[in-house]
Amino acid sequence: MNTNVDIYEGEDTDTLTQMDAGGSLAVQLNRAEIDQAIATARKFPRKLKVAAHAITELATFSNKAAETMFYALPRSGKPILGPSVRLAEIVVQNYPNSRVGARVVHVDRVEGFVEAEGVFHDLENNVQIVKRTKRSILNKRGEVFNADMINVTGNAACSIALRNAIFAGVPKVLWDTAYENALAASRGDLKTLTERREVAIKYFLGMGVTEDQIFASLEVKSIDEVTEEELLLLRGIVNTVKDTPSMLEKFFPPMKSAKAAANAARGTASRLEELAQEHEAETQKAQTSQKQAQDAKSEPEQPNTTEGEKDAQGSADGGDEGKQEEQGQSEQKPDTSEKRSPYNRGKTAFRRNSPRTAVPPDVKDDAELLAQWQQGYDDAKAEAENDEQ
């Protein structure tokens, strides 16, 4: 009691009264604002079917939009999918009579984390959901981020907390169909599977991730085992890494040894070069086919000839067709240049830790090319063993 008397001793009574009145006035204004919002919401209730339809339509507005409706998170060494903050934004914008917000509530530089709080308030039902999330603010060396990076991490934590609050407050039946349709739209079709998975692999190779890390994260052995489901996971990882770049290492842990990292780096460079060469070969093949088609259309019609002349012409044409057939076969023969030789490709396969039985289709059916590929694989293996010794 004496302490309280000492605190207020000498204070102006009128000043204290004004402070209490000001605090009460702020509380009353805030309460009146919320009461008015609740009254308005109940006067104009939301239409659930209209909301569900709008959410689904916007989530699948385009393939590009659908690809941003989900994210991925590493769990037990493997990524899992979930609805993203982009979908949460669409949900809350089409779910009337609700208020949302997020803020950073705590920055702990000792423990090394930032904590954010997301709030969803359903005015019509007068239900409030609060979700909190933490994000690390430590770098690889265990040092605390600078002020800018703490701010970036705090914003990311706010987005995650807000997303969790929205999906906890809005019934799942209203947005689950939109989420599933977005996944279906992102899967594409089998015709584009080969092209899309090569693009996905090349994207991560450009970020410094090796094929071995990608395959380990997806629990597959080679690119041929990457299906539509794995592509969805890769797309979700891309969405997550764009919002939180530090998550890249959690999806793809670094190599355990320096030697393994060096071999992986060589494999990454070889794979990038191989993909570029494959793309160039396909482009040249398409251009050649297009030119042949144009030449065939531009050939003049042959005049009428006698039967003997037809036979002679047929023999000549047969010779030309034989030459063209030989030329076509030579064009279809696999490129055996130094960079794309089966021998070098076999060495590259070993460096990527591919099994010796994983022979490329264009090499498997040719005994000579197969022998070169296997020799390259065995030589690379012998070189690796010598390095270890």
Side-chain angles (χ1 to χ4, degrees):
M1 295 296 296
N2 293 335
T3 303
N4 291 336
V5 171
D6 293 337
I7 290 176
Y8 292 103
E9 184 176 358
E11 294 287 350
D12 188 353
T13 306
D14 294 336
T15 302
L16 293 176
T17 304
Q18 292 174 4
M19 292 174 59
D20 292 341
S24 300
L25 180 60
V27 171
Q28 292 175 5
L29 288 175
N30 185 48
R31 182 180 301 171
E33 181 182 352
I34 295 176
D35 290 344
Q36 182 62 41
I38 293 175
T40 304
R42 291 177 176 175
K43 185 177 180 180
F44 303 99
R46 65 177 69 95
K47 299 178 181 179
L48 298 181
K49 290 185 178 180
V50 174
H53 176 75
I55 293 170
T56 302
E57 185 176 7
L58 286 175
T60 57
F61 187 77
S62 64
N63 287 338
K64 187 175 181 179
E67 289 178 350
T68 65
M69 295 296 108
F70 53 92
Y71 71 97
L73 279 181
R75 287 293 182 270
S76 301
K78 184 175 181 180
I80 60 172
L81 292 177
S84 70
V85 66
R86 302 285 87 81
L87 179 58
E89 291 170 352
I90 291 178
V91 169
V92 74
Q93 289 167 5
N94 292 275
Y95 191 73
N97 300 333
S98 59
R99 305 194 336 165
V100 296
R103 60 174 181 167
V104 174
V105 295
H106 183 53
V107 178
D108 193 327
R109 289 179 170 81
V110 177
E111 297 295 331
F113 69 87
V114 59
E115 185 174 14
E117 179 182 80
V119 179
F120 174 85
H121 188 186
D122 185 342
L123 298 172
E124 190 171 321
N125 298 320
N126 197 19
V127 175
Q128 182 169 290
I129 305 294
V130 179
K131 293 288 184 179
R132 289 196 175 192
T133 186
K134 295 180 180 179
R135 282 293 177 270
S136 173
I137 54 174
L138 301 178
N139 59 21
K140 299 178 182 179
R141 299 181 296 275
E143 300 171 347
V144 178
F145 290 161
N146 57 33
D148 290 337
M149 282 304 300
I150 290 177
N151 186 41
V152 171
T153 306
N155 291 337
C158 285
S159 296
I160 296 170
L162 183 62
R163 178 198 66 199
N164 295 342
I166 291 173
F167 286 130
V170 180
K172 188 177 181 180
V173 293
L174 293 180
W175 53 264
D176 189 54
T177 300
Y179 174 64
E180 295 296 335
N181 289 352
L183 291 178
S186 300
R187 286 189 176 95
D189 52 39
L190 294 177
K191 294 181 181 179
T192 61
L193 175 60
T194 302
E195 179 182 355
R196 289 189 297 115
R197 66 187 178 189
E198 287 186 356
V199 170
I201 295 296
K202 190 173 181 179
Y203 176 85
F204 284 106
L205 290 178
M207 299 179 67
V209 181
T210 66
E211 282 191 336
D212 292 335
Q213 291 174 299
I214 297 173
F215 298 154
S217 179
L218 299 178
E219 296 185 355
V220 298
K221 296 181 180 179
S222 66
I223 191 174
D224 295 330
E225 296 183 13
V226 177
T227 64
E228 295 290 350
E229 296 303 320
E230 281 75 26
L231 283 178
L232 280 180
L233 289 175
L234 291 178
R235 179 71 253 181
I237 292 174
V238 171
N239 294 336
T240 302
V241 171
K242 282 183 178 179
D243 292 335
T244 313
S246 60
M247 292 293 291
L248 183 65
E249 291 187 359
K250 295 186 178 180
F251 287 110
F252 309 109
M255 306 299 290
K256 294 183 179 179
S257 65
K259 181 180 178 181
N263 291 335
R266 288 196 296 269
T268 299
S270 300
R271 182 57 178 162
L272 282 172
E273 182 180 357
E274 185 176 342
L275 288 172
Q277 291 172 353
E278 289 177 358
H279 178 71
E280 182 179 358
E282 291 177 358
T283 303
Q284 292 178 353
K285 185 176 180 181
Q287 292 176 351
T288 302
S289 301
Q290 184 178 3
K291 183 177 180 182
Q292 290 177 352
Q294 292 176 353
D295 293 342
K297 292 181 180 179
S298 61
E299 288 182 358
E301 295 183 358
Q302 298 292 337
N304 294 332
T305 57
T306 62
E307 184 174 352
E309 291 175 345
K310 289 181 179 178
D311 293 339
Q313 184 178 357
S315 300
D317 293 342
D320 292 339
E321 290 177 358
K323 293 180 180 179
Q324 292 177 358
E325 183 177 356
E326 292 177 359
Q327 183 179 359
Q329 292 178 353
S330 64
E331 290 177 355
Q332 295 175 359
K333 186 176 180 181
D335 182 14
T336 57
S337 62
E338 183 177 355
K339 291 183 179 180
R340 291 280 297 143
S341 66
Y343 178 82
N344 286 341
R345 294 172 64 187
K347 296 183 72 172
T348 301
F350 173 78
R351 290 167 182 164
R352 296 203 309 267
N353 295 328
S354 299
R356 195 173 186 271
T357 56
V359 183
D362 60 329
V363 175
K364 185 184 299 182
D365 298 333
D366 191 315
E368 182 179 354
L369 299 180
L370 176 61
Q372 295 179 18
W373 189 93
Q374 292 175 340
Q375 184 63 39
Y377 189 97
D378 295 338
D379 288 351
K381 182 178 181 180
E383 292 175 1
E385 293 175 352
N386 291 334
D387 292 341
E388 292 178 357
Q389 295 176 356

